[in-house]
Amino acid sequence: MSVHDATTKAALPAEAKNQFLHDAAEHVRDIDHRSFVRKALGGYYVTRDSQKAKYRDWEHARDAAALAKWSAVNRLDELLPLFVTNFEAGGGIVHFARDAQEARTIIVDLVRASNAKAIIKSKCMTTEEIHLNDALEKEGYVVVESDLGEFIQQLRGEPPYHFVFPCMHVRRGEISDLFQKHLGTEPTQSPEELTMIARRYMRQLYVDADVGITGANFLVAETGQISITENEGNARLTAALPRVHIALSGIEKVVASLADLAVLLPMLATAGTGQPMTCYNTLYSGPQKNDEPDGPREMHLVLLDNARTAILADPEQRDSLHCIRCGACLNVCPIFKNVGGFTYGTTYQGPIGSVITPHLRGLSDWNHLSSASSLCGACTDACPVRIDIHHHLLHNRRNAVRASPKRLEHIGHQLFAFVAARPWLFAAGGKLFRWSLGFLKKIRPPLLRQWLETRDLPPAPPKSFRQLWKERS
Ligand code: SF4
């Protein structure tokens, strides 16, 4: 099974909700998985917080980052053409893709036209979004992931578990076994040795590759440059060594200026991985020039819409396009930490994935994700560009109810409104409810038995809030 089969299988719309409920129930019961994920994220909180403390004013920096993205997204009609003009002036070629299918066709045609035999690819969630590897593999091409985490996931036949830490759920011993099986190496528990094994394996692949495929973290309009930020240096080699470089990016990645980029890059690193800056930050300005010793001979950029303009047209949720894919909202989300990354069945997991997936893939099939939240607001607090994530989840819930109102739920709400508008009835209802809490606990009716298996009903308070309020005042 290829990496992308797993994503596609998990994302069959008709089954998406049932699959989510099934997998969530399984993972919530898996104490080992939960504690492993919590442990993996434990280090993240420490480094992120110590890095945040080095900012003179983290909240002020968030304001600046939010403003940079807000002004770029709200001026997209002006900045995107400016970026394209400047990028093409540097010798790059831009292709526009309305949807995933069009983007796949463009990239497959480019690969075919280049007579490529080998393709190397760096980490790029937009390629996951359009299932690019599937399309290339169907045409007979072998695509090798050069990012260590993505490479491990490719060998495991799994999609990324988390869009920043793709293999955070995999233990060292499992990686060693994987390398032993696929690369014939000796077992080791040393992270350095495991990294060196992948590095040695990759080196020749970079040299042999005809086409390198990357994503883009930002597109700088004033200079026409593509900014890629990474920790391994693999994206640099992927972009620079093959004779053809193809980058894929969503149209929302545009920022106005290098000054805005200087605000966003450290914010992305600190919120995403707790670093002051990621190790390698590169600006790509086009293919090799006559006076340059190296670089690709052709450079293409595929700009993907895929429902982004529909989100742009929605003033309520437009700011979800500000996302810089740092992953911080996943790291703090109590739902993500309990159900894990695969349960979502989506390219983008966690709170921001639950906000944008219904837009990318259809509200009716993916509206259940809006309920995969306790609405605690931890995601909104963690977001370096101040996206109001948990309110967007509420908006999606409201839209889902409006699109297909549930009769029973509607009757329930009407009944509640009727009772709540009559104080004497509300007080009587409260009394009845307090009495029935103890009763339900005792008889455990079959309808609630499964629900009560994992929950304890609290003892009913002897007095209502209204009674207490009356007594105190
Ligand atoms: S929504 Fe905010 S916190 Fe979540 S990935 Fe995007 S930028 Fe990061």
Side-chain angles (χ1 to χ4, degrees), residues 19 21 50 66 84 159 165 172 174 176 201 219 227 243 263 274 277 285 322 341 365 370 382 386 401 413:
Q19 188 73 46
L21 292 174
S50 77
V84 171
F165 310 121
R172 249 178 253 170
E174 292 173 291
S176 167
Y201 176 77
L219 308 171
S227 160
R243 58 190 159 78
V263 173
M277 280 290 272
S285 309
H322 299 182
D365 294 319
S370 326
R386 291 202 187 282
V401 171
H413 286 144

Side-chain angles (χ1 to χ4, degrees), residues 77-230:
D77 56 337
E78 172 201 332
L79 294 180
L80 195 59
L82 177 64
F83 168 79
V84 171
T85 305
N86 288 334
F87 181 72
E88 289 186 334
I93 302 166
V94 173
H95 310 258
F96 283 95
R98 260 169 304 190
D99 54 26
Q101 178 58 51
E102 211 166 277
R104 285 194 296 264
T105 306
I106 292 169
I107 295 174
V108 168
D109 286 350
L110 287 172
V111 170
R112 202 179 287 131
S114 72
N115 289 321
K117 299 213 167 27
I119 304 171
I120 191 119
K121 182 175 159 290
S122 70
K123 185 170 174 306
C124 166
M125 290 312 293
T126 320
T127 61
E128 301 287 336
E129 180 184 327
I130 66 165
H131 300 295
L132 180 63
N133 285 17
D134 263 355
L136 289 166
E137 282 163 13
K138 252 186 222 151
E139 295 296 318
Y141 296 106
V142 177
V143 187
V144 179
E145 296 285 349
S146 60
D147 172 88
L148 181 57
E150 290 279 350
F151 177 59
I152 290 165
Q153 287 308 92
Q154 186 173 40
L155 293 181
R156 286 170 65 87
E158 286 177 346
Y161 180 92
H162 178 299
F163 57 71
V164 174
F165 310 121
C167 67
M168 67 177 282
H169 63 304
V170 188
R171 290 170 171 82
R172 249 178 253 170
E174 292 173 291
I175 299 171
S176 167
D177 293 347
L178 199 68
F179 284 178
Q180 195 176 4
K181 182 175 159 200
H182 291 275
L183 312 179
T185 51
E186 291 299 315
T188 173
Q189 290 286 329
S190 152
E192 288 77 19
E193 276 178 38
L194 289 168
T195 309
M196 287 312 292
I197 290 171
R199 187 185 159 110
R200 276 194 297 272
Y201 176 77
M202 271 325 151
R203 283 286 136 157
Q204 194 56 41
L205 296 178
Y206 290 116
V207 177
D208 293 343
D210 307 292
V211 171
I213 299 177
T214 69
N217 293 97
F218 301 99
L219 308 171
V220 186
E222 71 172 359
T223 58
Q225 291 168 308
I226 296 177
S227 160
I228 299 182
T229 182
E230 47 153 344

